[in-house]
Amino acid sequence: MASIWLRSETKAHEKRTPLTPKNAKKLIDKGVEVFVEEFPDRIFPINQYEEVGCTIVPEGSWKKADTKHYILGLKEIEQKEDFHHKHIYFAHVFKGQDGSKDILSQYKNGGGTLFDLEYLTNEQGRRIAAFGFWAGFVGAAVGLKGYYFREKHETSIPAISSVNDQEILISELKELSNKSSSTPKAIVIGAKGRCGQGASSLFEKVGIQVTKWDIEETKKGGPFKEIPEHEIFVNTVLMQVKIPPFISPEIISTESKLKIISDVSCDPNSDLNPIPLYDKITSWDEPFVSKVINDHSLDILAVDNLPSLLPKESSEDFSDQLFPHLENLLLGKGEEDIVWSNAKDVFLKKRN
């Protein structure tokens, strides 16, 4: 019998899931055995999975599970042991990130396989499932909130926390806007992609003027002096090749308007980083890193799981995108399906 194992998450503040109870039921109805680990932080309570027929197992028990199961998760796994199973999650190890060599060695030594969710692509090379829209939406929201707090000369921008409805975010931002003495202008790079569309959507919902840039506007190559002419800059481009940076210290001065950078793509430890102004991912507790460049102050948002601020909406969207391909993996062509074979090919190339 085909089977899949939804594991718990180890990353702090992670409430999202790649498999909702609704889609778990669809798999069960087609004869797939679905195991779900107990995980109190998951946005969908465990009883919702149990009610649709999932087998409930203890948190972290995938490590002792039969290797026939596909282990499905979302974010990185924290463990020192070698990997023996077939894993599906965002691993962040294929662009030379910190610790990536060690993790790939764990797969090589243990004989496991990694199907990285970022590298599930179709015949045209396009990703088949992504949190992009909600990452951009939340990245713009938190960046805008940071701007309003900085306008009040707050010594630090408050910690962020999840909400279950986008209208809560929008209402809060409109209230901050009404109390503000100025209205910022924003620029979004990658505006035609799902992530950029999400960022632009948020700004438009709260009445912020947004400049939308994509391939046409950036093909001349950066750095772009137009960026510091805006108060907020949102980067939504997921880099696959190295290009000249979008922004550099040389184009920032005391005359710059730029106050907030929201780096939604968030890849500071990669050589492909188009915003070489910072070198570490930020956290929910301290979402912004402050920089002074040429006597000009900037705050940079670099949280790498922004969609978890809207865990229900983003999980439902992502799970619906992923579901037909899970179905193909478990009940169709299996790993020969183009989406899964593409991801496996990337893994084997990077692992070796």
Side-chain angles (χ1 to χ4, degrees), residues 8-269:
S8 56
E9 300 291 332
T10 60
K11 191 175 184 67
H13 306 292
E14 189 54 77
K15 295 185 175 184
R16 293 173 297 168
T17 179
L19 184 64
T20 60
K22 179 190 74 173
N23 287 330
K25 184 179 188 303
K26 289 181 181 179
L27 290 176
I28 292 169
D29 289 346
K30 293 177 179 291
V32 176
E33 191 172 13
V34 180
F35 295 83
V36 178
E37 290 189 1
E38 295 173 328
F39 182 51
D41 289 344
R42 190 183 291 121
I43 187 61
F44 298 100
I46 197 67
N47 68 291
Q48 292 188 16
Y49 289 95
E50 188 171 21
E51 287 170 358
V52 300
C54 298
T55 300
I56 308 305
V57 291
E59 186 172 350
S61 57
W62 67 266
K63 294 180 181 180
K64 296 182 179 180
D66 193 296
T67 53
K68 70 177 182 180
H69 303 297
Y70 286 94
I71 310 300
L72 175 64
L74 203 61
K75 299 299 286 186
E76 304 95 322
I77 302 171
E78 297 177 1
Q79 73 159 23
K80 296 181 180 180
E81 299 86 0
D82 291 332
F83 291 105
H84 307 289
H85 294 84
K86 297 179 178 181
H87 286 271
I88 306 168
Y89 66 104
F90 289 106
H92 303 296
V93 294
F94 292 157
K95 298 179 185 177
Q97 293 96 330
D98 291 347
S100 59
K101 290 184 179 180
D102 293 336
I103 294 169
L104 289 171
S105 293
Q106 288 176 269
Y107 275 100
K108 189 170 186 177
N109 296 336
T113 304
L114 168 62
F115 297 92
D116 195 303
L117 288 166
E118 184 178 330
Y119 293 85
L120 298 182
T121 57
N122 61 18
E123 292 86 348
Q124 292 76 41
R126 293 182 177 274
R127 290 177 62 183
I128 55 86
F131 285 98
F133 181 90
W134 297 107
F137 192 94
V138 174
V142 177
L144 183 55
K145 184 184 292 188
Y147 170 83
Y148 287 132
F149 274 95
R150 272 291 178 254
E151 185 192 33
K152 295 180 182 178
H153 307 292
E154 300 281 352
T155 56
S156 63
I157 299 172
I160 54 179
S161 58
S162 63
V163 296
N164 290 343
D165 187 338
Q166 62 173 294
E167 294 304 324
I168 296 174
L169 275 180
I170 294 169
S171 177
E172 183 179 356
L173 289 168
K174 285 183 175 179
E175 183 177 348
L176 289 171
S177 176
N178 291 336
K179 296 177 180 178
S180 174
S181 60
S182 65
T183 301
K185 290 192 300 182
I187 181 170
V188 175
I189 294 186
K192 290 185 178 180
R194 284 178 288 195
C195 191
Q197 291 174 29
S200 299
S201 174
L202 181 281
F203 286 131
E204 289 165 353
K205 284 179 182 290
V206 296
I208 299 297
Q209 180 182 339
V210 56
T211 301
K212 302 177 184 180
W213 275 24
D214 208 87
I215 295 174
E216 185 63 28
E217 293 81 5
T218 58
K219 65 182 181 182
K220 63 182 180 181
F224 302 110
K225 60 180 178 55
E226 294 89 344
I227 292 176
E229 295 173 0
H230 299 76
E231 284 79 9
I232 301 173
F233 163 40
V234 182
N235 171 45
T236 68
V237 180
L238 184 64
M239 291 297 171
Q240 301 293 347
V241 295
K242 190 173 180 61
I243 64 171
F246 292 153
I247 190 168
S248 67
E250 289 73 24
I251 64 170
I252 298 172
S253 72
T254 54
E255 302 301 315
S256 298
K257 296 180 180 179
L258 190 63
K259 302 296 183 184
I260 299 290
I261 296 176
S262 178
D263 189 7
V264 178
S265 297
C266 192
D267 215 358
N269 297 319

Side-chain angles (χ1 to χ4, degrees), residues 2 142-143 314 317 340:
V142 177
S314 60
D317 185 15
W340 301 97

